[in-house]
Amino acid sequence: MTHQHNPASPAATLSIPEPYRDRVSTALSLATAGVPVLPLRAGKIPFGNCRACADNACGGRPNMKRPGSCQCPAVCHGWAAATTGTAVLTSAAWAGPWRHAQALAYHPGGAGLTVVDLDNAHAVTWARETLPATRTVPTTRGEHWIYQGAMRSANAVRPGVDIKSLMAYTRWLGPGSGTMTRLPAVVRALVEREETTPARGEVVSSSGRTEWDRSVATGCRHTERFVRTGLERGLALVRARTESGAGSQAFGVAQFLATQHTACPGPCGLEALGWQVVATAVSVGVPEPYAHRAVTNGLYSTPTPGRVS
């Protein structure tokens, strides 16, 4: 996601005021690098649809969630208008929007990228404590963390955190700094389906599940009170997520529990602890397959001999 300013850019041939030509030149450089781009109007939002596309009367673009056949040359359909076509970017239909553009945006998913949009200092602190380092871009109030790999987009996956990738746009604020890394499981887990549904009552035990006790933790260096206190505090955090975020909280609790046992010779019965976290997440409405996946990812994100092989 780097670009070079090209003085001979086609932007100079458009009827665009000088202050905005750099923005078009940047857009052309990004498009050449395979990053779909589009202009944003006042308020940093996409331009509205033309009359033919109003209210999606045209059926929508082929790349939308419900594919349509719209081939409108204008900047219609928000993120779906983002393009790598330099001929489109320099066309007469886009000249007007460029003249009135207030910002430049790109479609991360179209470039095979995911942006973790951190909207405040607390969200940035959370990311630095939780997510693998990657390329970062400063924003007005926080940071964009950019990973290689596309995924489903979602807003408010946790306080101050949005995920921008497929079917989304985000502002271009520069190339950023740092080495871009692969999209980690912890980010994917943030947007997994976590619909809260009425608790299903007692959770049916699957084969292999067992409650934690000393019989499965013969190599743990901690007292039983220490382990159970940490577990109960973690389960309380999961139970508190009755509206949303219980799956992500279960991941965090599992990760924390595994971290406590990094110095133990093992086994510490972490799988048994994990089953109790899964059961608690399911009790507040998290689908069991997702809960199991989130907890497993949490346990195995920290190398430790404390788990039963």
Side-chain angles (χ1 to χ4, degrees):
M1 291 180 63
T2 58
H3 72 277
Q4 296 178 339
H5 177 65
N6 181 5
S9 167
T13 68
L14 294 174
S15 179
I16 298 175
E18 184 67 32
Y20 301 105
R21 290 185 184 174
D22 282 346
R23 187 171 291 145
V24 181
S25 294
T26 298
L28 291 169
S29 296
L30 288 169
T32 300
V35 180
V37 291
L38 75 156
L40 299 179
R41 58 188 170 107
K44 301 170 186 175
I45 58 177
F47 284 81
N49 290 352
C50 67
R51 290 184 179 181
C53 296
D55 299 320
N56 213 38
C58 60
R61 298 268 169 101
N63 58 333
M64 294 173 70
K65 186 174 183 179
R66 294 184 179 179
S69 58
C70 177
Q71 298 295 325
C72 178
V75 189
C76 295
H77 302 293
W79 69 267
T83 180
T84 57
T86 56
V88 176
L89 294 172
T90 56
S91 68
W94 283 53
W98 282 126
R99 283 195 296 272
H100 297 94
Q102 298 296 307
L104 174 65
Y106 67 102
H107 172 35
L113 303 173
T114 292
V115 177
V116 180
D117 185 359
L118 306 167
D119 201 36
N120 54 51
H122 293 296
V124 172
T125 298
W126 167 82
R128 291 173 180 172
E129 294 175 347
T130 308
L131 305 182
T134 189
R135 181 173 298 181
T136 62
V137 180
T139 68
T140 305
R141 295 177 296 183
E143 293 179 352
H144 285 172
W145 287 37
I146 306 173
Y147 292 97
Q148 293 177 335
M151 61 180 288
R152 183 166 67 86
S153 301
N155 291 327
V157 295
R158 57 174 293 114
V161 181
D162 298 330
I163 305 297
K164 305 293 181 63
S165 186
L166 299 173
M167 294 186 287
Y169 72 89
T170 192
R171 283 189 300 152
W172 170 259
L173 298 171
S177 60
T179 302
M180 194 181 306
T181 56
R182 292 296 302 172
L183 182 63
V186 62
V187 173
R188 292 188 182 277
L190 290 172
V191 301
E192 290 281 357
R193 184 180 177 89
E194 292 189 72
E195 291 184 356
T196 53
T197 56
R200 297 185 299 182
E202 185 176 350
V203 178
V204 178
S205 296
S206 300
S207 176
R209 294 189 183 187
T210 182
E211 292 290 320
W212 185 91
D213 60 31
R214 277 297 172 187
S215 68
V216 295
T218 56
C220 183
R221 290 179 174 177
H222 301 294
T223 66
E224 182 170 346
R225 181 178 179 182
F226 176 89
V227 174
R228 291 194 180 280
T229 297
L231 174 63
E232 285 304 320
R233 288 177 177 174
L235 298 184
L237 292 174
V238 176
R239 292 190 193 100
R241 295 283 187 168
T242 56
E243 296 297 328
S244 65
S248 297
Q249 185 68 69
F251 170 90
V253 169
Q255 186 180 54
F256 170 75
L257 292 174
T259 301
Q260 287 186 317
H261 296 270
T262 53
C264 294
C268 293
L270 295 189
E271 281 74 10
L273 294 174
W275 280 122
Q276 290 180 251
V277 179
V278 169
T280 301
V282 170
S283 74
V284 294
V286 179
E288 186 168 349
Y290 169 63
H292 179 71
R293 186 162 59 251
V295 170
T296 299
N297 288 339
L299 290 178
Y300 283 85
S301 64
T302 302
T304 171
R307 62 177 58 87
V308 179
S309 59

